[in-house]
Amino acid sequence: MEEIDKDIKEIEELANNKKIVAIGEIGLDYYWNTENKELQQYAFIEQINLANKLNLPIVIHTREAVQDTLEILKKNPVNKKGVFHCCPLNRELVKEALKLDFYISFAGPVTFKNSKNANEIIGMVPQNRMLIETDSPYLAPEPHRGTRNDPRNVKYIAEKIAEVKEIQVEEVERITYENTCTLFNI
């Protein structure tokens, strides 16, 4: 934990730059390694504390760790909230994240043909809480799934959201741009 504390101090020094708009990508990822859960949780809480100290929102990554992520957020409130980046298509996570006033950011998986609940999840998120992203270089959306992702592909995510929400793509672009500016105070 001493190493984590040292890293947090370094992040704090870097985050004092006026160009820094959030602390992230932070969170829990049990997909690759479940042997260090306690360290991941400690780091996540310390990064939340840092964000609160600096009055910045957070960008959250969670993979195979929904329950622990939500539990930590409930016990360690975030002052400026933040966003679940490349949000897993998990009903409980989205429902609870919205209750906690977080934004939900959609990425390539909402376009995947085998994504059984993408439409439902998109429908759950109010327009004033949604963002879009590519999560480059990973998770390229259809029709480019399996290739290296890049920002040009964000249009496919916007198209999917527009289809589900029954609004124009330009409206999705406007809404997500405004939400981004609001969240990150830019």
Side-chain angles (χ1 to χ4, degrees):
M1 292 193 198
E2 188 177 308
E3 185 69 28
I4 291 171
D5 292 336
K6 181 181 165 199
D7 291 343
I8 297 291
K9 191 72 177 154
E10 185 178 342
I11 294 168
E12 181 176 1
E13 290 171 16
L14 294 169
N16 281 315
N17 184 317
K18 296 243 185 255
K19 292 181 180 181
I20 304 301
V21 297
I23 299 296
E25 165 181 345
I26 67 174
L28 306 174
D29 191 324
Y30 299 162
Y31 182 77
W32 294 109
N33 188 343
T34 58
E35 295 172 13
N36 67 354
K37 285 182 180 183
E38 186 177 300
L39 286 175
Q40 287 189 51
Q41 292 169 9
Y42 176 80
F44 187 29
I45 291 166
E46 289 304 307
Q47 291 166 329
I48 290 169
N49 292 337
L50 176 61
N52 286 340
K53 179 179 179 181
L54 299 175
N55 204 32
L56 291 172
I58 62 175
V59 178
I60 301 170
H61 170 92
T62 185
R63 188 170 184 197
E64 304 294 327
V66 168
Q67 292 301 84
D68 287 350
T69 299
L70 290 172
E71 185 176 314
I72 286 171
L73 290 171
K74 288 175 183 176
K75 290 180 181 176
N76 301 274
V78 181
N79 296 342
K80 294 289 272 189
K81 302 305 176 190
V83 58
F84 276 83
H85 116 90
C86 192
C87 190
L89 301 177
N90 177 298
R91 290 172 192 89
E92 181 184 359
L93 174 64
V94 171
K95 181 179 151 192
E96 293 301 316
L98 291 170
K99 280 185 192 175
L100 293 169
D101 291 329
F102 280 86
Y103 288 80
I104 304 297
S105 185
F106 295 111
V110 299
T111 68
F112 294 173
K113 291 178 176 84
N114 67 347
S115 179
K116 295 179 175 78
N117 62 346
N119 290 3
E120 177 188 354
I121 300 295
I122 291 169
M124 288 174 63
V125 178
Q127 290 181 10
N128 69 341
R129 288 285 167 205
M130 67 181 186
L131 299 175
I132 56 175
E133 63 177 294
T134 58
D135 197 25
S136 297
Y138 308 107
L139 300 171
E142 298 289 350
H144 300 291
R145 187 170 181 186
T147 65
R148 181 179 173 85
N149 201 2
D150 68 54
R152 292 174 293 183
N153 290 332
V154 77
K155 69 181 181 178
Y156 300 108
I157 299 148
E159 289 169 357
K160 176 66 176 186
I161 292 169
E163 174 190 321
V164 173
K165 296 268 190 200
E166 297 180 342
I167 58 177
Q168 296 297 312
V169 172
E170 294 78 14
E171 185 70 359
V172 173
E173 293 167 357
R174 182 192 64 74
I175 290 165
T176 55
Y177 173 79
E178 289 174 1
N179 289 347
T180 300
C181 292
T182 299
L183 172 62
F184 297 118
N185 198 31
I186 53 177

